[in-house]
Amino acid sequence: MLLRLRPPGTAAAAASLSSFFPSAPFTRALPSPYFRPRPRGRRLSAAAASSSPKDSGGRLDALRERYDVIVVGGGHAGCEAALASARLGARTLLLTLNIDRIAWQPCNPAVGGPAKSQLVHEVDALGGDIGKIADRCYLQKRVLNSSKGPAVRALRARTDKREYAIEMRKVVESTQNLFIREAMATEVMIGKNDSVDGVRTFFGMDFYAPSVVLTTGTFMSGKIWVGRTSMPAGRAGESASHGLTENLQHLGFETDRLKTGTPPRIDRRTVDFSRLEAQHGDEEVGWFSFDPEFHVEREQMCCYLTRTTKDTHQIVTDNLDETPTYGGWVEAKGPRYCPAIEDKVLLLWG
């Protein structure tokens, strides 16, 4: 989801973009026992939260849910944002739709690659964890474009998606000042002078903070298509997040949609690998992290290459009207490095 702030003068009152980012230095208002740092980030379910002390109106004690920073979304960006905030001493809340899907990698689980590996290096240099965990959980590593100049070379790690998610969750849950709640954020609450007050969730619980970071990924009003059939979803098998898109539009943001094409999954027992080209990992393993403590050498899995034929191209071109984009019922921009097969066929052989 892309967000653009409308220019001043529009009918909808535009929220100040700067109010969505942490202010420095972080300060804790209302000193109380509730703000003592805990030795470990603590996970509370909705059931556990419901047993917390309530005020005279029956609502949860607001002091317990007041933070310096709230991060919405528990993917790559959300984990790094929450960790950076908490490590700077800010009382930080990470809101996620599903605690068991923190740092979950859908589609083709990988870290790095063209236009992305340098970002992983930079995040590591700033103290982030994506590179460290990728260096521990990789299945295969290769430097792409190695035959070309250094400027376009890119390290890519195929990762074990389950191991990666487990390791990142361990880091998040054990970080001091970082708290996790499972909830769907539906509204960014705005106070006086267009300042951020916090977020409201689907079931009506409010979390308060002067800074909110949105890292919603594909979930905000997400939709998936399979041929001509569509359904709301953040990714296959997981529900989309509803309400936040409309709230941001009301605040003056314009939203846009990106799309990506996901290949079907196949049963490896149905593949004759002897007819495919083996692609092994690099003998000299490259690393994302600058800290050698996280450089863990392990046995690498082999990938395999297959190629389309003229018959494949004909099948694709004969059925373009069955695809959402060329069929005319989806209008969205696709990422440069993840085109659908029909885009590749038309670009290279069309």
Side-chain angles (χ1 to χ4, degrees), residues 301-329:
M301 295 181 65
C302 183
C303 292
Y304 295 87
L305 301 177
T306 184
R307 292 175 172 80
T308 58
T309 65
K310 291 183 179 180
D311 291 338
T312 311
H313 305 160
Q314 191 61 50
I315 293 172
V316 171
T317 54
D318 289 345
N319 291 275
L320 286 176
D321 60 335
E322 297 294 330
T323 66
T325 303
Y326 294 96
W329 58 88

Side-chain angles (χ1 to χ4, degrees), residues 38-175:
R38 299 178 183 177
R40 293 176 61 86
R42 186 172 298 175
R43 186 184 78 178
L44 292 181
S45 64
S50 65
S51 63
S52 300
K54 296 183 179 182
D55 61 20
S56 58
R59 295 182 63 85
L60 288 172
D61 186 348
L63 292 180
R64 286 192 180 275
E65 299 302 342
R66 189 172 296 277
Y67 302 88
D68 297 316
V69 178
I70 296 174
V71 178
V72 179
H76 286 314
C79 289
E80 295 291 2
L83 290 171
S85 172
R87 288 166 177 170
L88 286 172
R91 178 177 165 90
T92 304
L93 173 66
L94 176 62
L95 282 181
T96 179
L97 289 174
N98 188 340
I99 288 176
D100 293 326
R101 285 294 182 264
I102 287 176
W104 191 249
Q105 296 176 295
C107 190
N108 182 17
V111 171
K116 298 177 287 293
S117 64
Q118 76 274 19
L119 296 180
V120 179
H121 290 301
E122 290 170 4
V123 169
D124 182 79
L126 293 171
D129 278 73
I130 181 173
K132 297 179 177 65
I133 296 179
D135 283 342
R136 295 208 307 264
C137 301
Y138 66 92
L139 298 175
Q140 187 199 75
K141 279 190 176 182
R142 286 177 57 85
V143 174
L144 308 182
N145 300 325
S146 58
S147 63
K148 300 180 181 178
V152 294
R153 294 174 191 167
L155 177 62
R156 182 194 62 202
R158 306 282 191 188
T159 55
D160 184 322
K161 64 191 299 180
R162 291 173 178 81
E163 184 183 9
Y164 183 96
I166 290 171
E167 293 300 318
M168 180 63 84
R169 181 172 166 181
K170 288 179 182 177
V171 173
V172 171
E173 290 186 336
S174 63
T175 298

Side-chain angles (χ1 to χ4, degrees), residues 1 3 6 12-13 221 243-256:
M1 177 70 70
L3 301 177
R6 291 175 184 157
S221 298
L244 192 55
T245 302
E246 294 77 9
N247 171 244
L248 291 172
Q249 290 171 339
H250 176 73
L251 293 175
F253 289 92
E254 294 181 0
T255 61
D256 207 344

Side-chain angles (χ1 to χ4, degrees), residues 273-347:
F273 288 96
S274 66
R275 301 179 61 183
L276 305 183
E277 178 184 341
Q279 186 183 61
H280 299 279
D282 291 341
E283 292 185 6
E284 184 176 347
V285 179
W287 307 103
F288 289 112
S289 178
F290 296 100
D291 188 346
E293 179 182 346
F294 297 93
H295 298 176
V296 179
E297 292 203 29
R298 54 196 291 176
E299 184 178 356
Q300 299 191 55
M301 295 181 65
C302 183
C303 292
Y304 295 87
L305 301 177
T306 184
R307 292 175 172 80
T308 58
T309 65
K310 291 183 179 180
D311 291 338
T312 311
H313 305 160
Q314 191 61 50
I315 293 172
V316 171
T317 54
D318 289 345
N319 291 275
L320 286 176
D321 60 335
E322 297 294 330
T323 66
T325 303
Y326 294 96
W329 58 88
V330 169
E331 292 184 6
K333 302 168 185 176
R336 177 179 177 187
Y337 290 104
C338 191
I341 187 172
E342 61 268 22
D343 294 328
K344 291 183 178 180
V345 167
L346 292 179
L347 176 64

